[in-house]
Each structure stands twice: as C-alpha cells, then as structure tokens.
Amino acid sequence: TPFIMASLAANIPSPGDAPAKTGPSKYENGHAWSRIEWKKVFARTITASRMFMRSGLIRKDLLPSYSGEGDHPETAVVNNVAELESFFEGREKEGGRFVVKYSDASNAYGMNFVDCSDETTLATGLKKVKTEMEVDSSVMVVQRYVEPMLIDDGTDRGTRHKFHLRALLLVVGDMEVYLYDELRVLIAPQPYRTDLVVGNEALGTVESRAGDGEGWEGTCTEGVRTALHAHVTNQSFNMSHESYVGDKHNVALHECDPLRRGDGDNDLFGKDFGLWDQIRKVCARLFRSLSKNKRKFMSLVNTYELFGLDFLVDEGGKVWLLEANPEPSMKMFGKKREDIEGPEGACLEDGGIPDGFVSVYNKDTEKAMEKMKALLAEAKKMKVEANVEGVAVVGGEEVD
C-alpha cells in the first residue's frame, strides 16, 4: 500500500549509510543492491536493476513456501543440531538420500550429502553436518536428493552423467516475468555414482565457514573429491576439475542431442511434456505465489532484475526447481549481461523487453482475467435466474 511504501522509503539507507532496522535483511544486501539510491526509487525519480525485496525467491529456506510441493523437492529448515537430529531420527528405516546446505550460500559452497540407507552411513553423514553446525549457527536446509536422469557427456567415454538446467528469468515492474529462450545444460565432469560415503567419509564441499582456510579440497581425500564432481553439477565448482571440458559440460538445451529420446509423450522437447514447457509452468506458479506476499518479494513498477534458476530432471523426465540465484553468471551463456538483458532500464519501457524472452506470468493480465471470469460467472448466474423466473433482464430492468 502507499502507506507501507512511504514508511519503507523513509527508513531506507542511502549508499554508504548504516543499514536501517526496517530495511531488508542481510540476505538482500548484495553489492549491487546496496549501491542503489532506494529513496529515489521509491520516489520514482530513478529506476533500479534490482528488486527491493526478493528473499522469498533467493533464500533456500523461504523458496519452498512459494514453490509448490509438486515443483520443489521435499525440504526442511533446520536452525540447530537438535532440529537436524529430529529430522533424521528413524530415517534409516525408510532409506532415502538428502542434501544439506546453507540457506544463503551459492556455487555449491557448504553442501553436504546424507545417505539414510543404514545406521552407519546415516551416522557418518550426520557427524559431518553436525560438526559444521556446531561451529557455524547459520540456518540450513535439508532437501531430498532427486534421483537424476543421466546423459552421455559427449566426450566419447560412453559414461553416464548427472546434469541440471540453468534458466534465466527477467522480472520487470510489478510483476511481469519473462523466461529466456536458451536453457543451458550443465553436466558433471565425472561419471555418476550412487555412493555418498567414500571410505569412512561422507561427501561434502566444505569443512565449515569457520575453518582454517584450506578450503574443501584441502580437507578431503581424492576419492571424496572425485565423487563430489559426479554429484555436484555447479559449473563454478566443476571448472577446476581436470576432466571438465567447457563445450562438452556446458551446452545449450536445443543442441543437447543426448536429451532427445523419441517422439510424442517421450519427447523431452515436446509441447506438453517437454522440459521447456515444464519450466515455464513451474515459473508461472512460483511467481503467482510470490506476487501475493510483498514482505518476501516486492517488485516496484520502476525496478527489474535478472535471476538464474536451477532445475533438475529426474529419472522420469520431470523437472524440479532446486533454487534461484541473484546476479547470475553470464559466462555460461557466452554473452555479456547487456547482450541478454539489453541497455540499462530499457526493459521498463513499452516494447522494451529484450529479444529472446518469453512471457510466463503477468500479474496485471491475471487480475484482468480473474475479473473477466467473475463477470462471466455473474452474467451466467443472471441468465439462469432470468430463465427460471421467465423474464429477461435488460439494463437492470425486468422485461416480460
């Protein structure tokens, strides 16, 4: 509401000022965000290339509240070791595998894997995570491991590899959402394997945020390192591996022949069952939900932002949204930001949406459609009532 907007604007710090208590949380304050003169944005004298609030999208502990159960893997938020232990209590009886990660981390930082196939492997995975949580009290999420579809990585090794899809999403004004028509397929450089414990060590990409600075590679065995590059598909994480080949492990979806597997219902590029169509529908449902809560996602008419969304494809070809990232890397697309996003602020102008972006959700259009449906429903009701009474209703007056 205007009152809320005015209240927020009055308490927003200018660049260089100390953060205001009523401003966004620490999760909102990226370098680009903090340089924006938000008071002028709220006054509508300038535009901004960031949303004012977007924690509901980019924080892993909040995203599940807006992405439906059928679109997002089972996820639990754990604030401490006690909650972690409670979540995993008795899990060895039902099995399953999980990924534990920081709610605000990126580039596979702080990712740990827990295998619940038996008491020993479960205890091994939990020990690593608990050690980390005892040192760092950050909020973490536990997410069910999605059993992945596997593909050939194109290196003629004849091996099967895990992959995920990176999509670019442009949110403009309040709230138009567009999906970039080029999706990237990011493939793990090591062949897929099912084990999450190597020797007596559980897989994980970091000892802790309060570690000794060695980094995860300096604290794990070669066996664990190799296994991690089979399970983790993040490009930044994998580029340092000796098996990584840029043009083989990062390819455009429309050029990824291993994903083409027949026609009709089995065609992953098909209209109704295709990956593109699934992602489009997931994004529409997600932003329809986000549009209803300005406390966690506030889009203003003079703001816009580009996000990178990561999706995993399961064994059956179903797409799952894993996470959303602010300030996505353009390197994996081989382009500069302005080549994709267009000139600064141009997307806010009429007809300014850059080439290559396809509309997936528009709040104003949806409101108009809802209003039209309500009017049609009311007209149908009036017609039925008129038929029952044997009269016609014209201009608000009954006519025999």
Side-chain angles (χ1 to χ4, degrees), residues 367-387:
K367 284 184 176 179
M369 291 296 292
E370 289 175 351
K371 186 175 182 180
M372 182 179 294
K373 288 179 181 178
L375 289 172
L376 289 172
E378 181 63 23
K380 184 177 181 179
K381 179 181 178 182
M382 292 174 64
K383 183 177 180 180
V384 170
E385 291 176 348
N387 288 336

Side-chain angles (χ1 to χ4, degrees), residues 1-306:
T1 66
F3 175 79
I4 294 175
M5 297 289 193
S7 177
L8 283 168
N11 290 281
I12 299 170
S14 299
D17 290 350
K21 291 183 179 180
T22 55
S25 72
K26 65 178 181 179
Y27 300 99
E28 305 288 350
N29 287 307
H31 294 298
W33 190 98
S34 60
R35 290 195 297 267
I36 294 172
E37 296 185 85
W38 285 106
K39 290 180 181 179
K40 293 183 179 180
V41 174
F42 273 83
R44 298 188 183 180
T45 58
I46 64 171
T47 62
S49 61
R50 299 293 184 275
M51 296 288 114
F52 180 65
M53 290 280 189
R54 68 264 215 269
S55 59
L57 177 66
I58 65 175
R59 276 189 45 186
K60 298 174 182 64
D61 56 334
L62 297 179
L63 179 60
S65 298
Y66 303 98
S67 181
E69 290 183 7
D71 296 332
H72 195 76
E74 175 193 352
T75 302
V77 179
V78 291
N79 296 284
N80 49 55
V81 171
E83 291 182 3
L84 179 76
E85 292 177 331
S86 176
F87 176 85
F88 281 103
E89 185 177 358
R91 290 276 177 173
E92 72 279 0
K93 298 176 182 178
E94 59 185 69
R97 303 189 294 172
F98 294 85
V99 182
V100 185
K101 48 192 174 182
Y102 290 109
S103 65
D104 60 338
S106 59
N107 294 327
Y109 180 84
M111 182 181 293
N112 288 290
F113 297 85
V114 179
D115 185 350
C116 302
S117 59
D118 58 63
E119 289 186 16
T120 301
T121 55
L122 174 57
T124 301
L126 284 183
K127 179 181 178 181
K128 188 176 182 67
V129 179
K130 286 192 286 187
T131 299
E132 194 165 311
M133 292 189 74
E134 286 167 355
V135 178
D136 188 314
S137 59
S138 297
V139 176
M140 303 190 83
V141 296
V142 182
Q143 189 173 90
R144 185 173 291 278
Y145 190 105
V146 177
E147 300 304 328
M149 173 179 286
L150 305 177
I151 61 174
D152 190 308
D153 70 345
T155 58
D156 299 323
R157 291 185 291 177
T159 51
R160 307 292 283 170
H161 296 247
K162 183 179 175 181
F163 70 94
H164 85 268
L165 303 174
R166 164 57 65 92
L168 291 179
L169 211 65
L170 181 64
V171 184
V172 179
D174 183 34
M175 162 191 307
E176 300 173 22
V177 184
Y178 300 87
L179 180 64
Y180 192 50
D181 63 6
E182 179 182 327
L183 303 176
R184 303 303 296 186
V185 183
L186 303 178
I187 306 171
Q190 281 291 298
Y192 184 70
R193 50 195 292 176
T194 58
D195 54 331
L196 296 180
V197 175
V198 177
N200 295 317
E201 186 175 357
L203 303 191
T205 60
V206 68
E207 284 301 303
S208 78
R209 287 180 170 179
D212 56 13
E214 288 185 272
W216 71 271
E217 291 188 275
T219 59
C220 70
T221 64
E222 181 60 27
V224 168
R225 176 175 176 271
T226 299
L228 283 168
H229 285 287
H231 286 281
V232 179
T233 52
N234 179 275
Q235 179 181 254
S236 297
F237 176 82
N238 284 320
M239 287 179 67
S240 62
H241 193 273
E242 57 271 16
S243 297
Y244 184 84
V245 181
D247 61 354
K248 299 293 184 181
H249 296 124
N250 172 15
V251 297
L253 176 60
H254 64 272
E255 297 175 347
C256 188
D257 290 334
L259 281 176
R260 297 183 182 277
R261 58 172 195 177
D263 300 314
D265 293 358
N266 292 323
D267 182 6
L268 290 177
F269 293 82
K271 178 181 178 182
D272 296 320
F273 300 92
L275 301 179
W276 165 266
D277 198 61
Q278 288 188 61
I279 289 174
R280 179 183 64 80
K281 291 176 180 178
V282 169
C283 291
R285 289 191 288 266
L286 170 63
F287 279 88
R288 182 177 295 112
S289 180
L290 284 169
S291 69
K292 299 173 183 177
N293 190 341
K294 283 189 173 292
R295 289 177 178 271
K296 300 302 180 183
F297 196 94
M298 182 182 289
S299 53
L300 307 174
V301 295
N302 51 335
T303 63
Y304 64 97
E305 187 164 357
L306 189 68

Side-chain angles (χ1 to χ4, degrees), residues 314-344:
D314 70 16
E315 297 168 305
K318 175 179 170 53
V319 162
W320 296 88
L321 172 62
L322 297 181
E323 61 186 41
N325 304 278
E327 303 182 25
S329 169
M330 299 294 102
K331 290 182 179 180
M332 68 179 64
F333 289 84
K335 300 176 182 179
K336 295 180 180 179
R337 191 179 189 91
E338 56 267 27
D339 295 334
I340 294 178
E341 196 176 77
E344 185 174 351

Side-chain angles (χ1 to χ4, degrees), residues 350-369:
D350 290 339
I353 302 302
D355 292 339
F357 281 92
V358 179
S359 176
V360 295
Y361 177 75
N362 186 305
K363 187 168 73 173
D364 288 341
T365 298
E366 183 165 81
K367 284 184 176 179
M369 291 296 292

